[in-house]
Amino acid sequence: MIGLGTYAFFWQHSERMPDPLDLAGAFAATREAGVDLFQICDYTPLERMPHREVADAARAARDLGLTIELGTKGIEPAHLEHFLDLAEAFDARLVRSMIPAAGASGALDDAADLLARVLTAYEAAGIDLALETYEQVSTADLVTLVERVGSDRLGICLDPANVVARLESPRACVELSAPHVRNVHVKDFAFDRQPGWVGFTYSGAPMGEGLHDYPHLLETVRPRARGINEIVEHWLPWQGDPETTARTERDWTRRTIDHLRSTT
């Protein structure tokens, strides 16, 4: 399925907006876009919601016919157990997370131990835990970790844009992680020269206009044949004022949905 995530509403959720979009508003906008899946990812208010508000949000999603996925950061067992409870409340089948920086010796061993302590509960619930590719941990180390733990419910959330910050090739990230992918974050990205030719800015781009070889990802990962959801995100720079930024964010979302629906 094609889905929208909270990062597709990054600025619309922001306090820089005169009337920030809440979770119910994002659900409604997702349905208006003709999309049936929403990933609540790194949305801080969710972690503080009392049970009644969680139940209300889950009911609102169900009433709109939305499938929900969840996303957080960290691999502490108590934290992941909390998100397992939230996933069950939302009938979510996937939780995305990110492991801490693994620079210290033994950090991956520690991560494997922490994950092993919680994955039995995920397995019993039939819910996947997908660890995202990003710049703090090499793709090779992430794959090694997933293979070391060896759970059918542990995989990778593929976001090849992130790994450029550690001088990894997005294409190589896609190829290395492909067998373990359970979720895809979709956004395009590009480099722009700074004024005076003194360096570059690495940022988002409208889907299909940047450097992301998405046909290669589709061919290599085969998300649609494997039932892997594709979640729309953006790295949209602030556009100078709230109205222009929100309008551009909505435009990028429409363009990305159209792009994904036009590819096979």
Side-chain angles (χ1 to χ4, degrees):
M1 296 171 66
I2 294 170
L4 302 185
T6 43
Y7 281 100
F9 298 90
F10 180 82
W11 291 117
Q12 293 168 78
H13 283 309
S14 168
E15 295 300 324
R16 296 180 74 171
M17 293 290 152
D19 185 18
L21 194 69
D22 61 9
L23 195 57
F27 288 168
T30 299
R31 168 52 62 211
E32 289 169 7
V35 173
D36 300 330
L37 171 66
F38 186 83
Q39 186 176 91
I40 310 170
C41 191
D42 300 342
Y43 185 72
T44 303
L46 178 64
E47 298 186 33
R48 302 192 298 262
M49 279 185 185
H51 292 299
R52 177 185 292 181
E53 290 185 21
V54 170
D56 288 345
R59 187 180 306 108
R62 283 193 292 271
D63 288 346
L64 288 169
L66 291 178
T67 298
I68 297 296
E69 296 178 343
L70 300 182
T72 186
K73 297 177 181 176
I75 56 172
E76 288 295 329
H79 183 69
L80 290 179
E81 287 167 0
H82 176 56
F83 266 81
L84 180 60
D85 291 340
L86 289 172
E88 291 180 324
F90 279 97
D91 297 323
R93 297 292 94 194
L94 180 136
V95 174
R96 163 277 207 184
S97 197
M98 306 171 82
I99 69 170
S105 176
L108 288 179
D109 290 335
D110 292 343
D113 290 342
L114 291 171
L115 290 166
R117 287 162 54 186
V118 77
L119 274 163
T120 299
Y122 275 74
E123 291 164 356
I127 294 173
D128 287 340
L129 178 62
L131 303 176
E132 185 163 349
T133 57
Y134 78 125
E135 69 277 3
Q136 298 296 323
V137 181
S138 73
T139 305
D141 282 349
L142 190 62
V143 168
T144 296
L145 174 63
V146 169
E147 292 177 346
R148 182 181 301 175
V149 174
S151 170
D152 289 342
R153 288 297 173 184
L154 181 65
I156 288 175
C157 173
L158 177 59
D159 189 335
N162 290 336
V163 304
V164 174
R166 63 177 297 120
L167 301 183
E168 284 191 28
S169 158
R171 188 181 184 94
C173 171
V174 169
E175 293 172 353
L176 186 59
S177 60
H180 304 288
V181 172
R182 302 294 176 86
N183 199 242
V184 176
H185 282 177
V186 182
K187 57 176 169 283
D188 213 339
F189 45 89
F191 289 91
D192 289 317
R193 275 280 187 185
Q194 288 285 347
W197 286 53
V198 287
F200 295 89
T201 296
Y202 179 57
S203 187
M207 191 66 187
E209 296 184 14
L211 298 173
H212 194 359
D213 187 353
Y214 204 71
H216 170 257
L217 185 152
L218 290 176
E219 179 181 354
T220 305
V221 178
R222 299 184 300 109
R224 295 161 194 182
R226 294 166 62 191
I228 296 169
N229 294 331
E230 300 164 78
I231 307 299
V232 174
E233 298 189 339
H234 308 306
W235 278 348
L236 173 69
W238 181 254
Q239 299 295 294
D241 64 80
E243 182 180 355
T244 304
T245 302
R247 184 174 63 249
T248 304
E249 193 168 63
R250 290 190 292 267
D251 179 61
W252 278 29
T253 295
R254 286 191 296 270
R255 293 175 67 167
T256 305
I257 293 169
D258 290 345
H259 185 89
L260 291 176
R261 287 173 172 166
S262 71
T263 57
T264 58

